[in-house]
Amino acid sequence: MSVDHRRLGRALDLFDSDPLIGAGLPFWLPAGAAARHEVESYVRELERRAGYQHVYSPALGKRQMYELSGHWANFADDMFPPLGDDGADGDALVLRPSLCPHHALVFRSRPRSYRDLPLRIAELGAMYRAERSGVLGGLHRVRSIWLNDAHVFCAPAQIGAEVAGALALVRQAHAALGLRAASFRLSLRGGGGKYAGDDAGWAEAERLLREALDAAGVPYEAAPGEAAFYGPKIDVQIADPAGRESSLSTIQVDFHQPERFGLSYADSSGRPARPVLVHRSLVGSLERLFAHLIEVHAGAFPVWYSPVQIVAVPVAAGQQAAAEAFVREAVAAGLRAEVDHDGSVGARIRAAAGRKIPYVAVIGPREAPDGRVVLRLRDGRQLPAMPGAEAVALVRAVAAARIPGLVPDVV
């Protein structure tokens, strides 16, 4: 029987919704926010190490900007109506359906030289889609989307390396999160769609994406009609426990928007040259990502992004102080830890199992005097009593290594 992230996400207090907010607008509860924050921090650091610079941009923009980018002509049905006066001057504000127009303006906000390229701009930003109520569901399909997005502005000769680098980062992030790609798809133009740009640009973009996939050694299938309106793309497909596939990560080559926004840089001869734009998202939207993570892991997240990593259970009131001291030590070491002192020991251990907490530190009268704990693992194993500092170090080591298991290889 497959796991439904909507049921389990609410049972684990990860997210919820309310009619007063509206359909397709879930809110994240403290446990879900803790897991999400850990994933966000990991992705930002992964991008930073790969040479990306992070920015913040507003979730609103003039309609005129989206007319320039092509979103208004090709995507208006999926956008919310303009806010305020929607006169012919295009001054009305629109909730953005994507981040790329803002990042194009970040690029053109300063003079650029060939020495600045590739310029890698990243953001975890909000965007909005006017999804019909009939297609909304849990975190899979929402109206308010937080997207891990980035745009690489590069010279034509740099496109291949940037696409290959983005594909490697996607695979690295998926491995750390415990994801496995179901398939890779090369999304191309198809009959009946509205597409921007010329045939030569589309052919060159397709060639570069094929070369990157071939060099990575991953099998892929072509999907005519699934391209973005401005260019072909690589879609990394994931499958839920029931075998249903959906797109999560994407890499796109775009010759269109740099031209529409008049982007340029000074080449080695000082002459103006047009950059190429590579769109890429390592983990897609945080909403769709966590819908998948909840189902794939059945709520038992890897240690590094579990909402609570360890709960201390004192056997009796006499061990309460020792349990609180242990939790203080764990929190000071950067772990998410808490004390549970309500109910019988067995009930508290079962409650921790129901919450999918990776470790339960049981502290009884034999352990408390020496500052020791007995670690019970989420998979049912129990480790011999050990000093509290050693238990903290063990959990930290597993979290830092981002391994799928509950003990380091040396244990």
Side-chain angles (χ1 to χ4, degrees), residues 16-330:
D16 211 331
S17 59
D18 192 287
L20 285 176
I21 297 178
L25 298 169
F27 51 84
W28 297 71
L29 297 168
R36 170 176 160 166
H37 175 78
E38 206 59 41
V39 170
E40 290 176 2
S41 297
Y42 163 71
V43 171
R44 284 194 179 100
E45 180 62 14
L46 185 64
E47 290 172 332
R48 188 191 67 79
R49 291 175 181 272
Y52 287 82
Q53 302 177 66
H54 291 93
V55 300
Y56 292 102
S57 61
L60 290 165
K62 286 185 177 181
R63 176 169 58 86
Q64 184 180 21
M65 178 172 67
Y66 300 108
E67 290 174 341
L68 187 61
S69 70
H71 286 85
W72 194 259
N74 295 279
F75 208 68
D77 289 345
D78 296 309
M79 297 170 65
F80 283 100
L83 306 174
D85 181 20
D86 191 24
D89 57 4
D91 277 347
L93 295 176
V94 177
L95 286 167
R96 66 179 173 195
S98 67
L99 280 68
C100 46
H102 290 77
H103 290 184
L105 299 182
V106 169
F107 180 91
R108 82 176 196 185
S109 67
R110 301 287 186 276
R112 305 292 180 181
S113 159
Y114 73 95
R115 294 186 180 89
D116 300 323
L117 306 185
L119 181 65
R120 306 181 183 103
I121 300 296
E123 182 175 3
L124 180 63
M127 64 183 200
Y128 301 86
R129 301 283 173 88
E131 300 282 8
R132 307 307 185 258
S133 59
V135 302
L136 299 172
L139 297 178
H140 269 304
R141 201 76 175 260
V142 294
R143 288 169 169 159
S144 174
I145 303 165
W146 284 88
L147 185 68
N148 156 245
D149 205 8
H151 298 90
V152 181
F153 301 88
C154 61
Q158 297 170 325
I159 300 172
E162 290 305 309
V163 170
L167 186 57
L169 279 183
V170 167
R171 300 178 77 185
Q172 184 177 348
H174 283 210
L177 289 162
L179 298 175
R180 185 171 59 191
S183 64
F184 292 81
R185 189 173 73 186
L186 181 59
S187 297
L188 307 172
R189 285 187 295 182
K194 295 186 291 184
Y195 301 102
D198 57 38
D199 291 343
W202 277 83
E204 177 67 1
E206 179 183 336
R207 180 184 69 80
L208 292 164
L209 293 177
R210 285 188 185 275
E211 287 182 355
L213 287 166
D214 291 339
V218 296
Y220 63 92
E221 59 182 20
E226 296 297 325
F229 73 84
Y230 46 75
K233 56 180 178 169
I234 295 171
D235 284 316
V236 183
Q237 302 292 103
I238 53 173
D240 65 17
R244 296 181 295 260
E245 286 196 14
S246 59
S247 296
L248 185 66
S249 308
T250 184
I251 303 167
Q252 308 164 21
V253 175
D254 180 0
F255 293 92
H256 168 69
Q257 291 199 59
E259 181 177 352
R260 292 296 296 267
F261 281 95
L263 305 185
S264 67
Y265 64 93
D267 67 13
S268 58
S269 301
R271 293 188 295 267
R274 182 83 67 210
V276 179
L277 176 56
V278 177
H279 308 241
R280 59 107 282 224
S281 179
L282 299 186
V283 296
S285 79
L286 272 296
E287 290 78 14
R288 178 170 291 184
L289 171 65
F290 268 89
H292 186 69
L293 292 175
I294 292 168
E295 294 184 353
V296 165
H297 297 299
F301 295 141
V303 173
W304 68 273
Y305 61 93
S306 287
V308 175
Q309 293 163 315
I310 186 166
V311 61
V313 172
V315 172
Q319 291 84 55
Q320 179 73 18
E324 291 174 352
F326 172 75
V327 165
R328 286 195 297 271
E329 182 178 4

Side-chain angles (χ1 to χ4, degrees), residues 323-384:
E324 291 174 352
F326 172 75
V327 165
R328 286 195 297 271
E329 182 178 4
V331 171
L335 298 177
R336 294 180 293 280
E338 61 185 41
V339 179
D340 186 352
H341 48 73
D342 293 327
S344 68
V345 172
R348 284 178 280 164
I349 291 173
R350 289 191 297 274
R355 295 170 62 195
K356 314 291 185 179
I357 296 174
Y359 306 94
V360 176
V362 180
I363 304 173
R366 287 181 294 182
E367 292 79 32
D370 300 325
R372 294 182 301 155
V373 301
V374 174
L375 279 187
R376 295 177 62 95
L377 310 186
R378 183 170 57 194
D379 60 13
R381 287 178 290 169
Q382 179 172 300
L383 303 183

